[in-house]
Amino acid sequence: MSTTTADEHHDDHHPSGIMRWITTTNHKDIGTLYLWFSFIMFFIGGFMALIIRTELFEPGMQFVDPQFFNSMTTMHAIVMIFGVVMPAFTGLANWLIPLMIGATDMALPRMNNWSFWILPFAFAMMLSTLFMDGGGPAGGWTLYPPLVLQTGDAFPFVIFAIHFMGMSSIMGAINVVATILNMRAPGMTLMKMPLFVWTWLITAYLLIAVMPVLAGGVTMLLTDKFFETSFFNAAGGGDPVLFQHIFWFFGHPEVYILILPSFGVISSIIPTFARKPLFGYSSMVYATASIAFLSFIVWAHHMFTVGMPLAGELFFMLATMLIAVPTGVKVFNWVCTMWRGAMTFETPMLFAIAFIILFTIGGFSGLMLAITPADFQYHDTYFVVAHFHYVLVPGSIFAIIAAVYYWLPKWTGHMYSEFWGKTHFWLSTIFVNITFFPMHFVGLAGMPRRIPDYALQFSDYNQIATIGAFGFGFAQIIFLGLVIATIRGGVKATDRVWEGAEGLEWTLSSPPPYHSFTTPPNVKGEWNWFTHQHYETVKTRS
Amino acid sequence: MNTVADIDHELEVPTQFIVQHNQSLSWRGNKIFIINVGILSFSIAGVFALHGLWLILPFVGLEILILSVALYTCCLRNRYKEVITVGNEKLIVEKGLQQPNETWEFDRAWVNLELRDSKLLGHPSKLLVRSKGSQTEIGECLTDEERESLARSLMRTLHITLNKS
């Protein structure tokens, strides 16, 4: 035993090497793991998209057989939803929520470790099904019976992989809820929380409410296949349409699980670069809660063509259109935040502005799809593909990219290259439109989705979309290079990083210490974005 | 978030150090949240069960159980409190949830502080107070940095050096 005094210089000491990442319970480490996992899956899912687009470059069958094509559409969706967007937002939540609410870490750090490490195993299992007899799942991510029950050896592995993904999501959501409810700094009331924290609290609530529905649904598929139950088997007295109700009761809130944290990210970025406080903070919170509530009562708009009573069709049509109101409040508030602001256009702001414009286009096509008689024409066409890709790519993915650019200097302590950031932005924005905008036209002209071949009349727009997809894919390699370069070095970032940035995370050093706040910051008074009187932060480390 | 101030100056005696978690929502508030989520989730599962799709119910039950245990664990952990009183003659350590469940009294003149790093990867350090053969751990709910900060403050108050191992 050596005897020293505690006044000696003291660094953050924590495990290093591979064991650091396997055994870590630190929110920043786990956030980093989630983000890298998501990034890797983004390239895997993107590669699948390029296979789809390559096959669709010309009419006729060129490169893959129809079964594999349908496996690609199914896997691409599952990977992008459960492997990219959800883990990316969980990674952002891990990194940012403790920093934003003034906590040292997440409330349940060991469970946090588990919820991440389940994911690589779940996706290894899911991707391995592509190499099994009968190929991977090819019935679409919606897993409708009886089609999905025709899956070969892969079927039980797909179900178990989905269970694992669900477990990971639920554990992540419980951790977020426990952290936000119990670990806010003194003085940080619910209505003083940053919008990103609010949107994640509501997202976690949605996750907890709907994930068991998916778990129950896929388990019933499993028992129908292997234990001779007849939940969805008409011959045994079951009803396959009931599965669609189950799936979309989960699936529609899932759509909001994928987009609500984006709203939080954009609500953080816009005020920073407009150098104005967020317009209508309270209305943003209530709008988010309203969207979450409405998400529970609109699921059957995915099933207009399945057949339901006229009153049901009317109810679901009107309830769906109602979602435009709180969403419109959000877009209005973001635009009002920018109105007469001292705006600058750094890369995160460019992605945020593109998000607002392009997500709104996706929202408008959603309104078109909400109109029941119109949906009878649009259903299962490329118009639907265009709609949800506008919501998810320039929506969720752009928000995630914007978040990375915005907080990367805080995470790494280095500024990224603005030149390469803007190059990435312009290439992504141009190519994302080249990819998905023509899909509106082929969809309206009647091109069905999930079909590897198509009529000659759709060739031109499909070729444009394929060129756009490859361009968008290559643009993301710039992003990968930029992230790696920023981690490795660069101009030192200041603690506050952005002139207009407000929030507790900016009061910490860049990069922040291993444990975030060793003394609780005291959040007093109302938001004051200019005088910094808002926070009376006791900083013990830098 | 835990409460411990890193005090740079020498403190007057008697001095009290209160080590506790920051708890931003009461257990009652947590219970309201659990009941809220529970009512919603069981209502959804109940409606599906009425249509014969009963397999959603056990998943909801399991999830609400895990949520309840998680929030209860947080609240229970956050109620933990250590009160360390440094007097002219004695150093008193009290530990408990709502009230002191355990109390130690040490002769101040013989008090020895040791900050012991864990031999196990990723495990927390320990801050031990000992005197005349008896010892107890303090700052259990703190991070390593916070624990060292508490040790420094105690060291200044007690006019002793810290044993680090």
Side-chain angles (χ1 to χ4, degrees):
Chain A
M1 181 194 294
S2 64
T3 303
T4 57
T5 64
D7 287 331
E8 285 178 3
H9 178 71
H10 175 74
D11 288 317
D12 278 345
H13 48 81
H14 50 80
S16 55
I18 186 73
M19 288 308 286
R20 167 183 172 184
W21 300 102
I22 292 172
T23 62
T24 184
T25 53
N26 182 278
H27 73 101
K28 299 183 191 80
D29 286 352
I30 294 172
T32 304
L33 285 169
Y34 266 114
L35 288 169
W36 273 113
F37 175 81
S38 161
F39 210 177
I40 292 164
M41 295 308 290
F42 182 52
F43 282 101
I44 293 172
F47 183 68
M48 291 172 178
L50 293 183
I51 292 173
I52 294 166
R53 286 313 321 168
T54 305
E55 180 56 50
L56 290 173
F57 187 70
E58 286 180 344
M61 302 303 300
Q62 274 78 232
F63 301 102
V64 294
D65 63 74
Q67 165 76 20
F68 186 73
F69 180 89
N70 284 340
S71 279
M72 285 294 98
T73 57
T74 305
M75 283 293 209
H76 166 72
I78 291 172
V79 166
M80 287 300 190
I81 291 167
F82 293 102
V84 178
V85 178
M86 289 172 74
F89 280 130
T90 313
L92 291 173
N94 262 285
W95 248 106
L96 297 169
I97 287 175
L99 300 184
M100 287 179 164
I101 64 171
T104 45
D105 208 312
M106 297 293 278
L108 304 153
R110 288 185 180 86
M111 194 165 88
N112 207 11
N113 176 288
W114 268 87
S115 63
F116 171 75
W117 279 109
I118 285 173
L119 269 184
F121 292 97
F123 275 94
M125 191 187 286
M126 178 61 84
L127 294 173
S128 71
T129 61
L130 288 169
F131 305 100
M132 292 178 184
D133 274 355
W141 82 287
T142 51
L143 306 169
Y144 284 175
L147 182 61
V148 76
L149 300 177
Q150 295 172 19
T151 308
D153 291 353
F155 185 69
F157 294 95
V158 171
I159 300 299
F160 282 123
I162 289 172
H163 270 300
F164 282 130
M165 292 168 204
M167 281 164 58
S168 168
S169 299
I170 287 171
M171 287 199 283
I174 289 174
N175 219 337
V176 165
V177 164
T179 307
I180 297 173
L181 292 184
N182 293 305
M183 295 180 72
R184 278 169 288 126
M188 181 165 283
T189 57
L190 287 173
M191 290 309 280
K192 281 185 190 166
M193 294 194 308
L195 246 294
F196 180 76
V197 181
W198 253 117
T199 52
W200 239 111
L201 181 62
I202 292 168
T203 301
Y205 187 92
L206 286 179
L207 270 165
I208 292 167
V210 299
M211 272 297 167
V213 178
L214 177 69
V218 297
T219 306
M220 285 184 269
L221 285 178
L222 196 74
T223 59
D224 271 10
K225 171 98 172 173
F226 294 106
F227 301 104
E228 297 183 358
T229 58
S230 296
F231 289 109
F232 310 120
N233 179 3
D239 184 358
V241 174
L242 270 181
F243 180 83
Q244 298 189 21
H245 283 288
I246 285 190
F247 183 83
W248 287 113
F249 194 86
F250 147 79
H252 200 78
E254 171 69 19
V255 172
Y256 293 100
I257 288 163
L258 300 176
I259 200 69
L260 289 184
S262 309
F263 295 164
V265 168
I266 300 304
S267 300
S268 303
I269 293 172
I270 296 278
T272 297
F273 296 101
R275 291 165 182 80
K276 273 178 70 190
L278 183 70
F279 183 88
Y281 170 88
S282 306
S283 64
M284 287 298 232
V285 173
Y286 297 130
T288 310
S290 305
I291 291 169
F293 167 73
L294 289 170
S295 76
F296 285 113
I297 56 167
V298 297
W299 78 92
H301 68 219
H302 296 271
M303 301 164 57
F304 282 146
T305 58
V306 169
M308 70 179 95
L310 184 62
E313 303 226 339
L314 271 173
F315 171 78
F316 286 110
M317 177 176 80
L318 294 171
T320 304
M321 294 173 92
L322 210 54
I323 296 178
V325 176
T327 312
V329 167
K330 285 187 166 294
V331 173
F332 179 82
N333 286 353
W334 289 324
V335 173
C336 282
T337 306
M338 288 188 278
W339 176 252
R340 292 189 170 176
M343 300 233 293
T344 51
F345 298 95
E346 287 85 348
T347 310
M349 184 62 162
L350 290 174
F351 273 103
I353 293 170
F355 169 94
I356 295 172
I357 296 166
L358 300 176
F359 173 79
T360 304
I361 291 175
F364 278 135
S365 57
L367 269 177
M368 292 167 72
L369 287 160
I371 301 166
T372 312
D375 183 74
F376 272 66
Q377 303 302 315
Y378 304 146
H379 188 83
D380 255 347
T381 69
Y382 257 79
F383 190 81
V384 180
V385 180
H387 156 68
F388 67 71
H389 277 95
Y390 260 89
V391 174
L392 287 175
V393 184
S396 302
I397 298 286
F398 269 31
I400 292 163
I401 294 171
V404 170
Y405 279 113
Y406 186 56
W407 282 292
L408 193 62
K410 171 58 62 184
W411 299 338
T412 61
H414 304 126
M415 292 305 290
Y416 62 86
S417 159
E418 199 64 53
F419 170 78
W420 286 111
K422 284 181 175 161
T423 306
H424 172 226
F425 165 75
W426 284 111
L427 290 174
S428 296
T429 305
I430 290 165
F431 282 119
V432 88
N433 283 293
I434 292 174
T435 308
F436 297 116
F437 211 81
M439 290 182 190
H440 290 109
F441 304 136
V442 287
L444 289 173
M447 179 172 162
R449 58 190 288 211
R450 292 171 173 154
I451 304 287
D453 191 8
Y454 53 84
L456 195 62
Q457 66 189 44
F458 304 129
S459 301
D460 292 349
Y461 284 131
N462 270 291
Q463 289 181 347
I464 292 169
T466 299
I467 290 166
F470 274 88
F472 185 76
F474 286 121
Q476 304 324 305
I477 294 169
I478 296 175
F479 185 42
L480 175 65
L482 183 145
V483 169
I484 292 170
T486 310
I487 292 168
R488 289 166 65 95
V491 178
K492 194 92 184 87
T494 60
D495 290 356
R496 199 160 168 224
V497 182
W498 309 108
E499 184 193 21
E502 291 294 341
L504 284 180
E505 74 268 34
W506 307 107
T507 65
L508 290 168
S509 58
S510 299
Y514 198 61
H515 291 288
S516 301
F517 289 94
T518 52
T519 314
N522 194 9
V523 182
K524 282 186 180 174
E526 296 300 314
W527 288 95
N528 188 332
W529 294 71
F530 302 107
T531 61
H532 299 263
Q533 294 301 311
H534 187 129
Y535 301 115
E536 288 194 2
T537 309
V538 184
K539 258 179 76 175
T540 55
R541 316 200 61 232
S542 60
Chain B
M1 175 53 58
N2 312 303
T3 310
V4 58
D6 190 3
I7 301 157
D8 291 329
H9 56 276
E10 194 176 305
L11 293 164
E12 291 176 8
V13 285
T15 298
Q16 263 191 343
F17 294 84
I18 298 171
V19 181
Q20 63 182 29
H21 287 280
N22 173 40
Q23 173 80 34
S24 50
L25 188 70
S26 65
W27 170 233
R28 188 168 171 274
N30 277 278
K31 273 196 294 193
I32 291 169
F33 182 83
I34 294 166
I35 290 166
N36 183 306
V37 177
I39 288 172
L40 178 72
S41 300
F42 278 111
S43 303
I44 293 165
V47 170
F48 281 118
L50 287 175
H51 287 84
L53 306 172
W54 57 269
L55 253 174
I56 295 168
L57 267 173
F59 286 103
V60 169
L62 186 64
E63 186 195 53
I64 298 298
L65 180 70
I66 294 169
L67 176 70
S68 307
V69 169
L71 293 179
Y72 181 73
T73 307
C74 278
C75 289
L76 192 67
R77 189 183 58 196
N78 290 353
R79 280 163 64 191
Y80 176 79
K81 189 183 279 189
E82 291 172 8
V83 180
I84 303 152
T85 310
V86 182
N88 287 322
E89 305 285 324
K90 300 279 185 193
L91 185 148
I92 302 164
V93 177
E94 295 167 302
K95 296 181 190 177
L97 292 174
Q98 287 289 63
Q99 57 204 18
N101 296 345
E102 296 171 293
T103 304
W104 287 264
E105 274 195 26
F106 301 100
D107 273 342
R108 183 181 160 171
W110 295 94
V111 161
N112 177 275
L113 274 180
E114 185 189 346
L115 186 62
R116 187 186 290 170
D117 280 340
S118 173
K119 300 280 185 287
L120 294 168
L121 196 64
H123 283 240
S125 60
K126 283 176 185 286
L127 179 59
L128 301 167
V129 185
R130 64 166 72 96
S131 171
K132 295 182 176 174
S134 69
Q135 71 170 25
T136 186
E137 185 184 349
I138 55 173
E140 281 179 67
C141 64
L142 303 177
T143 63
D144 285 357
E145 287 79 7
E146 290 168 331
R147 201 171 288 112
E148 186 155 336
S149 159
L150 173 67
R152 272 201 294 266
S153 301
L154 270 172
M155 186 185 75
R156 289 192 196 99
T157 310
L158 293 165
H159 304 293
I160 58 172
T161 55
L162 178 70
N163 294 322
K164 252 186 117 185
S165 63

Coordinates of all heavy atoms in Angstrom, one line a residue, chain B residues 92-146:
Chain B
I92 N -18.9 10.9 13.7 CA -20.1 10.0 13.7 C -20.5 9.8 12.2 O -20.7 10.7 11.5 CB -21.2 10.6 14.5 CG1 -20.7 10.8 15.9 CG2 -22.4 9.6 14.5 CD1 -21.6 11.7 16.8
V93 N -20.7 8.5 11.9 CA -21.2 8.2 10.5 C -22.6 7.5 10.7 O -22.7 6.5 11.4 CB -20.3 7.2 9.8 CG1 -20.9 6.8 8.4 CG2 -18.9 7.8 9.6
E94 N -23.6 8.1 10.1 CA -25.0 7.5 10.1 C -25.4 7.2 8.7 O -25.2 8.0 7.8 CB -26.0 8.5 10.7 CG -25.7 8.8 12.2 CD -26.5 10.0 12.6 OE1 -26.3 11.1 12.0 OE2 -27.3 9.9 13.6
K95 N -25.9 6.0 8.5 CA -26.4 5.5 7.2 C -27.8 5.0 7.3 O -28.2 4.4 8.3 CB -25.5 4.4 6.7 CG -24.1 4.7 6.4 CD -23.4 3.4 5.9 CE -21.9 3.6 5.8 NZ -21.3 2.4 5.3
G96 N -28.6 5.3 6.3 CA -30.0 4.7 6.3 C -30.8 5.2 5.1 O -30.3 6.0 4.3
L97 N -32.0 4.7 5.1 CA -32.9 5.2 4.0 C -33.7 6.4 4.4 O -33.3 7.5 4.0 CB -33.8 4.0 3.5 CG -33.1 2.8 2.9 CD1 -34.0 1.7 2.6 CD2 -32.4 3.3 1.6
Q98 N -34.7 6.2 5.2 CA -35.4 7.4 5.7 C -34.8 7.9 7.0 O -34.9 9.1 7.3 CB -36.9 7.0 6.0 CG -37.7 6.8 4.7 CD -38.0 8.1 4.0 OE1 -37.1 8.7 3.5 NE2 -39.3 8.4 3.9
Q99 N -34.3 7.0 7.8 CA -33.7 7.4 9.1 C -32.4 6.6 9.3 O -32.2 5.7 8.6 CB -34.7 7.1 10.3 CG -35.1 5.6 10.3 CD -36.4 5.4 11.0 OE1 -37.2 6.3 11.1 NE2 -36.7 4.2 11.3
P100 N -31.6 7.0 10.3 CA -30.3 6.3 10.4 C -30.6 4.8 10.8 O -31.1 4.6 11.8 CB -29.6 7.0 11.5 CG -30.4 8.2 11.9 CD -31.7 8.1 11.2
N101 N -30.2 3.9 9.9 CA -30.3 2.5 10.2 C -29.1 1.9 10.9 O -29.1 1.0 11.7 CB -30.6 1.7 8.9 CG -31.9 2.1 8.3 OD1 -32.8 2.7 8.9 ND2 -32.1 1.7 7.1
E102 N -27.9 2.5 10.6 CA -26.7 2.1 11.2 C -25.9 3.3 11.6 O -25.9 4.4 10.9 CB -25.8 1.3 10.2 CG -26.5 0.0 9.7 CD -25.7 -0.5 8.5 OE1 -25.7 0.1 7.5 OE2 -25.0 -1.6 8.7
T103 N -25.2 3.2 12.8 CA -24.4 4.4 13.3 C -23.1 3.9 13.7 O -23.0 2.8 14.4 CB -25.2 5.1 14.4 OG1 -26.5 5.4 14.0 CG2 -24.4 6.3 14.9
W104 N -22.0 4.6 13.4 CA -20.7 4.3 13.9 C -20.1 5.6 14.6 O -20.4 6.7 14.1 CB -19.7 4.0 12.7 CG -20.0 2.7 12.1 CD1 -19.3 1.5 12.3 CD2 -20.9 2.4 11.0 NE1 -19.7 0.5 11.6 CE2 -20.7 1.0 10.7 CE3 -21.9 3.1 10.3 CZ2 -21.5 0.3 9.8 CZ3 -22.6 2.5 9.4 CH2 -22.4 1.1 9.1
E105 N -19.5 5.4 15.6 CA -18.8 6.5 16.3 C -17.3 6.2 16.4 O -16.9 5.1 16.8 CB -19.3 6.6 17.8 CG -20.6 7.5 17.8 CD -20.9 7.9 19.3 OE1 -19.9 8.0 20.1 OE2 -22.0 8.2 19.5
F106 N -16.5 7.2 16.0 CA -15.0 7.0 16.0 C -14.4 8.1 16.8 O -14.9 9.2 16.8 CB -14.5 7.1 14.6 CG -15.0 6.0 13.6 CD1 -16.0 6.4 12.7 CD2 -14.5 4.7 13.6 CE1 -16.5 5.4 11.8 CE2 -15.0 3.8 12.7 CZ -16.0 4.1 11.8
D107 N -13.3 7.8 17.5 CA -12.6 8.8 18.2 C -11.8 9.6 17.1 O -11.1 9.1 16.3 CB -11.5 8.2 19.1 CG -12.1 7.9 20.5 OD1 -13.2 8.5 20.8 OD2 -11.5 7.1 21.2
R108 N -12.1 10.9 17.1 CA -11.6 11.7 16.0 C -10.1 11.6 15.9 O -9.5 11.6 14.8 CB -12.1 13.2 16.2 CG -11.6 14.0 15.0 CD -12.0 15.4 15.2 NE -11.2 16.2 14.3 CZ -11.3 17.5 14.0 NH1 -12.3 18.2 14.6 NH2 -10.5 18.1 13.2
A109 N -9.4 11.6 17.1 CA -8.0 11.7 17.1 C -7.3 10.5 16.4 O -6.2 10.5 16.0 CB -7.5 11.8 18.5
W110 N -8.1 9.3 16.4 CA -7.5 8.1 15.8 C -8.1 7.7 14.5 O -7.8 6.7 13.9 CB -7.8 6.9 16.8 CG -7.1 7.1 18.1 CD1 -7.6 7.7 19.2 CD2 -5.8 6.8 18.4 NE1 -6.7 7.7 20.2 CE2 -5.5 7.1 19.7 CE3 -4.7 6.2 17.7 CZ2 -4.3 6.9 20.3 CZ3 -3.5 5.9 18.3 CH2 -3.3 6.3 19.6
V111 N -8.8 8.7 13.9 CA -9.5 8.4 12.6 C -8.4 8.3 11.5 O -7.5 9.1 11.4 CB -10.6 9.4 12.3 CG1 -10.9 9.4 10.8 CG2 -11.8 9.1 13.1
N112 N -8.6 7.3 10.6 CA -7.8 7.1 9.5 C -8.7 7.0 8.2 O -9.7 6.3 8.3 CB -7.0 5.8 9.7 CG -6.1 5.5 8.6 OD1 -6.6 4.8 7.7 ND2 -4.9 5.9 8.6
L113 N -8.3 7.7 7.2 CA -9.1 7.6 5.9 C -8.3 6.8 4.8 O -7.1 7.1 4.6 CB -9.3 9.0 5.4 CG -10.5 9.8 5.9 CD1 -10.5 11.2 5.1 CD2 -11.8 9.1 5.6
E114 N -9.0 5.9 4.2 CA -8.3 5.2 3.1 C -9.2 5.2 1.8 O -10.4 4.8 1.9 CB -8.0 3.7 3.5 CG -7.2 3.0 2.4 CD -7.0 1.5 2.6 OE1 -7.3 1.1 3.8 OE2 -6.7 0.8 1.7
L115 N -8.6 5.6 0.7 CA -9.3 5.5 -0.6 C -8.7 4.3 -1.4 O -7.6 4.4 -1.7 CB -9.2 6.8 -1.4 CG -10.0 6.9 -2.6 CD1 -11.5 6.9 -2.4 CD2 -9.7 8.2 -3.4
R116 N -9.5 3.3 -1.5 CA -9.0 2.1 -2.1 C -9.6 1.8 -3.5 O -10.8 1.7 -3.7 CB -9.4 0.9 -1.2 CG -8.7 -0.4 -1.6 CD -9.3 -1.5 -0.7 NE -8.9 -1.5 0.7 CZ -9.4 -2.2 1.6 NH1 -10.4 -3.1 1.4 NH2 -8.9 -2.1 2.9
D117 N -8.7 1.8 -4.5 CA -9.1 1.5 -5.9 C -9.5 0.1 -6.0 O -8.9 -0.8 -5.4 CB -8.0 1.8 -6.9 CG -8.0 3.3 -7.2 OD1 -9.0 4.0 -6.9 OD2 -7.0 3.8 -7.7
S118 N -10.5 -0.2 -6.8 CA -10.9 -1.6 -7.0 C -9.9 -2.4 -7.8 O -9.3 -1.8 -8.7 CB -12.3 -1.7 -7.6 OG -12.6 -3.0 -7.9
K119 N -9.7 -3.6 -7.4 CA -8.8 -4.5 -8.3 C -9.6 -5.0 -9.5 O -9.0 -5.4 -10.5 CB -8.4 -5.7 -7.5 CG -7.6 -5.4 -6.2 CD -6.1 -5.0 -6.5 CE -5.3 -4.8 -5.3 NZ -5.6 -3.5 -4.6
L120 N -10.9 -4.9 -9.4 CA -11.7 -5.4 -10.5 C -12.0 -4.3 -11.5 O -12.3 -3.2 -11.1 CB -13.1 -6.0 -10.0 CG -13.0 -7.2 -9.2 CD1 -14.3 -7.5 -8.5 CD2 -12.5 -8.4 -10.0
L121 N -11.9 -4.7 -12.8 CA -12.1 -3.7 -13.9 C -13.5 -3.0 -13.8 O -14.5 -3.7 -13.8 CB -12.0 -4.4 -15.2 CG -11.7 -3.6 -16.5 CD1 -10.4 -2.9 -16.4 CD2 -11.7 -4.6 -17.7
G122 N -13.5 -1.7 -13.8 CA -14.8 -1.0 -13.9 C -15.6 -0.9 -12.6 O -16.6 -0.4 -12.5
H123 N -15.0 -1.6 -11.5 CA -15.7 -1.5 -10.3 C -15.4 -0.3 -9.5 O -14.3 0.3 -9.7 CB -15.4 -2.8 -9.4 CG -16.2 -4.0 -9.9 ND1 -17.1 -4.7 -9.2 CD2 -16.2 -4.6 -11.1 CE1 -17.6 -5.6 -9.9 NE2 -17.1 -5.6 -11.1
P124 N -16.2 0.2 -8.6 CA -16.0 1.5 -8.0 C -14.9 1.4 -6.9 O -14.6 0.3 -6.3 CB -17.3 1.9 -7.4 CG -18.0 0.6 -7.2 CD -17.6 -0.3 -8.3
S125 N -14.3 2.5 -6.6 CA -13.3 2.6 -5.5 C -14.1 2.6 -4.2 O -15.3 2.7 -4.2 CB -12.5 3.9 -5.6 OG -13.4 5.0 -5.6
K126 N -13.4 2.5 -3.1 CA -14.0 2.5 -1.7 C -13.3 3.5 -0.9 O -12.1 3.6 -0.9 CB -13.9 1.1 -1.1 CG -14.8 0.0 -1.6 CD -14.5 -1.3 -0.9 CE -15.2 -2.4 -1.4 NZ -16.6 -2.5 -1.0
L127 N -14.1 4.3 -0.1 CA -13.6 5.2 0.8 C -13.9 4.7 2.2 O -15.1 4.5 2.6 CB -14.2 6.6 0.6 CG -13.7 7.7 1.6 CD1 -12.2 7.9 1.5 CD2 -14.4 9.0 1.3
L128 N -12.9 4.4 3.0 CA -13.1 3.7 4.3 C -12.6 4.7 5.4 O -11.6 5.3 5.3 CB -12.2 2.4 4.4 CG -12.5 1.4 3.3 CD1 -11.5 0.3 3.3 CD2 -13.9 0.8 3.5
V129 N -13.5 4.7 6.4 CA -13.1 5.4 7.7 C -12.8 4.4 8.7 O -13.7 3.5 8.9 CB -14.3 6.3 8.2 CG1 -13.8 7.1 9.4 CG2 -14.8 7.2 7.1
R130 N -11.7 4.5 9.4 CA -11.4 3.4 10.4 C -10.8 4.1 11.6 O -10.1 5.1 11.5 CB -10.6 2.3 9.9 CG -9.2 2.6 9.4 CD -8.4 1.3 9.2 NE -8.9 0.6 8.1 CZ -8.3 0.6 6.8 NH1 -7.3 1.4 6.7 NH2 -8.7 -0.1 5.9
S131 N -11.0 3.4 12.7 CA -10.4 3.9 14.0 C -10.5 2.7 15.0 O -11.5 2.1 15.1 CB -11.1 5.1 14.5 OG -10.7 5.4 15.8
K132 N -9.3 2.5 15.6 CA -9.3 1.5 16.7 C -9.9 0.1 16.3 O -10.8 -0.4 17.0 CB -9.9 2.0 18.0 CG -9.2 3.2 18.6 CD -9.9 3.6 19.8 CE -9.2 4.7 20.5 NZ -9.9 5.2 21.7
G133 N -9.7 -0.4 15.1 CA -10.1 -1.7 14.7 C -11.5 -1.8 14.1 O -11.8 -2.8 13.5
S134 N -12.3 -0.7 14.2 CA -13.6 -0.8 13.5 C -13.5 0.2 12.2 O -12.8 1.1 12.2 CB -14.7 -0.3 14.4 OG -14.6 1.0 14.7
Q135 N -14.3 -0.2 11.2 CA -14.3 0.6 10.0 C -15.6 0.6 9.3 O -16.4 -0.4 9.5 CB -13.2 0.1 9.1 CG -13.4 -1.2 8.4 CD -12.4 -1.5 7.3 OE1 -11.3 -1.0 7.3 NE2 -12.8 -2.3 6.3
T136 N -15.8 1.6 8.5 CA -17.1 1.6 7.7 C -16.8 2.3 6.4 O -15.8 3.1 6.3 CB -18.3 2.2 8.4 OG1 -19.4 2.0 7.6 CG2 -18.0 3.7 8.6
E137 N -17.5 1.9 5.4 CA -17.3 2.6 4.1 C -18.3 3.8 4.0 O -19.4 3.7 4.4 CB -17.7 1.6 2.9 CG -17.4 2.2 1.6 CD -17.8 1.3 0.4 OE1 -18.1 0.1 0.6 OE2 -17.8 1.8 -0.7
I138 N -17.8 4.9 3.4 CA -18.6 6.1 3.2 C -18.6 6.5 1.7 O -17.7 6.0 1.0 CB -18.2 7.3 4.1 CG1 -16.7 7.6 3.9 CG2 -18.5 7.0 5.6 CD1 -16.3 8.9 4.6
G139 N -19.6 7.2 1.4 CA -19.6 7.7 0.0 C -20.0 6.6 -1.0 O -19.5 6.6 -2.2
E140 N -20.7 5.6 -0.5 CA -21.0 4.4 -1.4 C -21.8 4.8 -2.6 O -21.7 4.1 -3.6 CB -21.8 3.4 -0.6 CG -21.0 2.6 0.4 CD -21.9 1.6 1.2 OE1 -22.4 0.7 0.6 OE2 -22.0 1.8 2.4
C141 N -22.6 5.8 -2.6 CA -23.5 6.1 -3.7 C -22.8 7.1 -4.7 O -23.5 7.6 -5.6 CB -24.8 6.6 -3.3 SG -24.8 8.2 -2.4
L142 N -21.6 7.4 -4.4 CA -20.9 8.4 -5.2 C -20.1 7.8 -6.4 O -19.8 6.6 -6.4 CB -20.0 9.3 -4.4 CG -20.6 10.0 -3.2 CD1 -19.5 10.7 -2.4 CD2 -21.6 10.9 -3.6
T143 N -19.8 8.6 -7.4 CA -18.9 8.2 -8.4 C -17.5 8.3 -7.8 O -17.2 8.9 -6.8 CB -18.9 9.1 -9.7 OG1 -18.5 10.4 -9.3 CG2 -20.4 9.1 -10.2
D144 N -16.5 7.7 -8.5 CA -15.1 7.7 -8.1 C -14.6 9.1 -7.8 O -13.9 9.4 -6.8 CB -14.2 7.0 -9.1 CG -14.3 5.5 -9.0 OD1 -15.1 5.0 -8.1 OD2 -13.7 4.8 -9.8
E145 N -15.0 10.0 -8.8 CA -14.5 11.4 -8.7 C -15.2 12.1 -7.4 O -14.5 12.8 -6.7 CB -14.8 12.2 -9.9 CG -14.0 11.9 -11.1 CD -14.4 10.6 -11.8 OE1 -15.4 10.0 -11.4 OE2 -13.6 10.1 -12.7
E146 N -16.4 11.8 -7.3 CA -17.2 12.4 -6.1 C -16.6 11.9 -4.8 O -16.5 12.6 -3.8 CB -18.7 12.1 -6.2 CG -19.4 12.8 -7.4 CD -20.7 12.3 -7.6 OE1 -21.0 11.1 -7.4 OE2 -21.6 13.0 -8.1

